[in-house]
Amino acid sequence: MRALQRASALIAWVFVLAIGVLLVLESTDLIDGSWRHFLADLAGWLVSPPVARWAAALLGAGLGMVALILLAAQLMPYRLSVRPTIVDKSPQGTTSVGAAAQRRGAIEQLLRVEGVKDAVPISHRRRIKVQVELADDAEVSDVRRKAREVLNNEFWSSLGIDPVPVDVVLVIGDSSSKLSALSREPQETT
């Protein structure tokens, strides 16, 4: 679904950009208004296509379904990653830790930090990204330091996996100001 979201957004932005560029080029007399006539002819063909009525109805239904799918894709929230991390492979089978378990573990660790009111996962493809709401009396530097301490290599080793990249975004009070607290690569120690 994410691919549909990105594709439809890309198509819309390219269309808007193309119209803007064409308008600028026409206003500077680098091109004439023939592109407007082309768009008008295309719109006229779409309004009354020179095909049989049943074919026009079929074309309209198909375009309507595509439009509804793209609209639904834009309105659906991003899905959190569900890729598991393989811990062990043996002849008896494979042991893995799911992405949801990794997120829950990181959130549980962050909720133990003094000054953290809430922690909510944010959709991201390859990283664990968490938005952390701080208490009004929380000291930002202390929360940053403690977040690094609780999400250390020992924590990830207890899950049986290599350290996972984690991004923590601090939200202070009820304001919308956000501070990036921790951006951690797998090879870094915290």
Side-chain angles (χ1 to χ4, degrees):
M1 194 58 72
R2 182 176 275 185
L4 282 177
Q5 288 174 325
R6 289 185 175 167
S8 60
L10 178 68
I11 290 168
W13 283 112
V14 166
F15 182 73
V16 168
L17 178 66
I19 295 293
V21 168
L22 288 171
L23 286 171
V24 168
L25 290 175
E26 185 182 353
S27 68
T28 57
D29 291 330
L30 292 174
I31 62 172
D32 60 357
S34 61
W35 67 275
R36 290 176 189 249
H37 297 294
F38 172 75
L39 288 180
D41 291 342
L42 181 64
W45 185 88
L46 287 174
V47 170
S48 98
V51 294
R53 292 183 69 161
W54 65 269
L58 192 59
L59 178 67
L63 287 174
M65 286 180 16
V66 168
L68 285 176
I69 289 170
L70 292 177
L71 179 65
Q74 289 299 319
L75 297 176
M76 289 184 69
Y78 286 125
R79 205 172 126 189
L80 295 170
S81 174
V82 293
R83 270 186 238 158
T85 301
I86 295 175
V87 176
D88 183 41
K89 281 187 181 180
S90 66
Q92 291 82 16
T94 302
T95 304
S96 62
V97 176
Q102 295 172 26
R103 274 192 307 275
R104 282 193 302 268
I107 287 172
E108 183 179 318
Q109 290 295 102
L110 289 169
L111 287 174
R112 291 180 182 174
V113 173
E114 185 179 334
V116 173
K117 282 176 36 178
D118 194 16
V120 178
I122 301 171
S123 174
H124 201 278
R125 213 169 168 186
R126 290 186 175 93
R127 304 176 88 77
I128 294 177
K129 193 168 184 176
V130 181
Q131 181 173 317
V132 174
E133 184 180 344
L134 300 179
D136 293 332
D137 60 343
E139 189 65 39
V140 175
S141 59
D142 288 343
V143 172
R144 278 189 186 142
R145 183 180 47 77
K146 290 177 184 174
R148 286 187 180 98
E149 289 173 5
V150 298
L151 296 176
N152 60 13
N153 289 339
E154 184 179 316
F155 164 69
W156 296 109
S157 295
S158 70
L159 290 177
I161 60 175
D162 291 331
V164 174
V166 177
D167 289 336
V168 176
V169 177
L170 299 179
V171 178
I172 301 170
D174 294 331
S175 70
S176 61
S177 62
K178 297 179 181 180
L179 298 173
S180 179
L182 171 67
S183 180
R184 194 171 153 294
E185 296 297 330
Q187 61 269 28
E188 291 180 24
T189 56
T190 53

